Amino acid sequence: MRIWYQSLVDPGRAPGYFDGMAARARQVVRAGVEVVFHGLPEGTYGNHAPADIVVFPYLISLHVQFILDNALRAETEGYDAFAIGSVQDPGLEEARSLIDIPVVGYGEAAMHFACLLGGRFSVVAFQAGFDQILDAHIRRLGLAERAIPTTLMDAGFADVSKAFAEPAQLVEQFTEASRRAIRLGAEALIPGQLYLSEAIARAGVTRIDEVPIVDGLSATLKMAEAMTDLKRLGISVTRRGYAHARPEREMIEHARGMHGRPPVTPPKKSA
């Protein structure tokens, strides 16, 4: 089994982040599963941090096209699953309507796992605006009754970056925010961005006051494994309804040509 893991981070911005994820992935997945990590093109965010850009609907709508290009590449190159490593799940619906291999997103996977771990969960995020983004996403997933509002922590992208080498301060900030969520009824916690989730996981923090923390990377990869297993048993995504309707190949190629996207090549046939 081969999983294409799509990050929203530019690898040139944080090489240690990708190296660390690859090392952890080898511990998470079962024998025989290969995870290949991909980021967005170098320079995608200019001089800004990713968290500064993805809070703007227009800008993220442009960058989603990179994700969809890579979803098509993953199917063409024979991958078994496509995983989107962002809690907002950008491009998740579009990718599921575009390709036939399983597509999973960090946010959706982590929230469903959180529902198995406790009655109500809270996402704990950094960066103003993410609370509105994530609360809206939770409503779209139909999980509002299982969640309390997203909790914002007093930290920024630079603080999370620093925590990969010196985690103590970030762990303290995450713990303080988590305890606010716990007092409001949270019984499971989800770090709000995979960048944050990786910093907390690498610091070895898995519970706060007996409330479990969902490891974003593990949740995403395990969901990708499970969905691939189900597909091999003949159980795959619906093609009924608007959200999962797949256009004909000719329609896809024409539309992509009009918008200057790379050409689509037919997927490889299984041996």
Side-chain angles (χ1 to χ4, degrees):
M1 182 189 300
R2 295 174 72 223
I3 300 171
W4 178 303
Y5 195 99
Q6 181 65 53
S7 172
L8 261 69
V9 177
D10 168 355
R13 181 185 295 270
Y17 171 62
F18 283 85
D19 293 343
M21 281 199 297
R24 287 215 314 122
R26 288 191 289 271
Q27 299 173 343
V28 169
V29 298
R30 63 183 189 241
V33 176
E34 178 188 9
V35 184
V36 183
F37 289 87
H38 301 263
L40 294 188
E42 186 174 352
T44 293
Y45 301 108
N47 296 322
H48 299 277
D52 296 332
I53 299 298
V54 300
V55 294
F56 295 103
Y58 174 68
L59 297 181
I60 191 61
S61 73
L62 295 177
H63 298 327
V64 161
Q65 297 308 311
F66 291 131
I67 297 172
L68 300 178
D69 290 345
N70 284 343
L72 287 165
R73 275 188 58 198
E75 183 177 52
T76 298
E77 294 178 14
Y79 282 82
D80 297 289
F82 184 77
I84 300 171
S86 171
V87 72
Q88 312 98 287
D89 296 332
L92 181 64
E93 267 194 5
E94 295 92 332
R96 281 185 178 151
S97 74
L98 186 62
I99 61 177
D100 274 334
I101 61 174
V103 180
V104 302
Y106 162 37
E108 184 181 57
M111 291 175 201
H112 283 293
F113 277 120
C115 288
L116 300 176
L117 298 173
R120 300 178 75 194
F121 66 84
S122 179
V123 181
V124 179
F126 67 91
Q127 191 82 7
F130 265 87
D131 50 344
Q132 295 180 43
I133 292 170
L134 295 174
D135 288 344
H137 188 38
I138 290 166
R139 289 193 296 271
R140 283 195 299 273
L141 292 173
L143 295 173
E145 291 187 0
R146 298 295 301 272
I148 68 168
T150 297
T151 305
L152 284 180
M153 56 185 290
D154 184 19
F157 190 85
D159 298 306
V160 181
S161 298
K162 178 183 176 182
F164 287 103
E166 302 173 20
Q169 182 177 352
L170 186 76
V171 169
E172 182 179 338
Q173 292 167 323
F174 183 81
T175 300
E176 187 278 328
S178 296
R179 284 179 171 153
R180 281 191 277 123
I182 292 168
R183 286 196 293 271
L184 292 175
E187 297 175 355
L189 302 164
I190 300 171
Q193 297 93 337
L194 197 76
Y195 203 56
L196 173 62
S197 182
E198 279 298 288
I200 296 300
R202 294 183 204 181
V205 182
T206 60
R207 299 173 81 83
I208 292 175
D209 299 342
E210 287 307 306
V211 173
I213 301 168
V214 178
D215 175 352
L217 181 66
S218 298
T220 308
L221 294 178
K222 287 301 180 185
M223 187 66 80
E225 286 183 352
M227 293 302 292
T228 301
D229 289 342
L230 288 173
K231 183 172 175 60
R232 290 174 176 175
L233 294 171
I235 304 168
S236 60
V237 67
T238 182
R239 288 298 177 209
R240 298 294 296 271
Y242 165 75
H244 296 89
R246 190 183 191 202
E248 296 178 3
R249 180 66 59 173
E250 179 274 331
M251 294 179 180
I252 296 172
E253 291 175 349
H254 176 77
R256 288 176 62 79
M258 287 294 295
H259 290 272
R261 306 313 303 171
V264 179
T265 55
K268 292 180 180 178
K269 293 183 179 179
S270 301

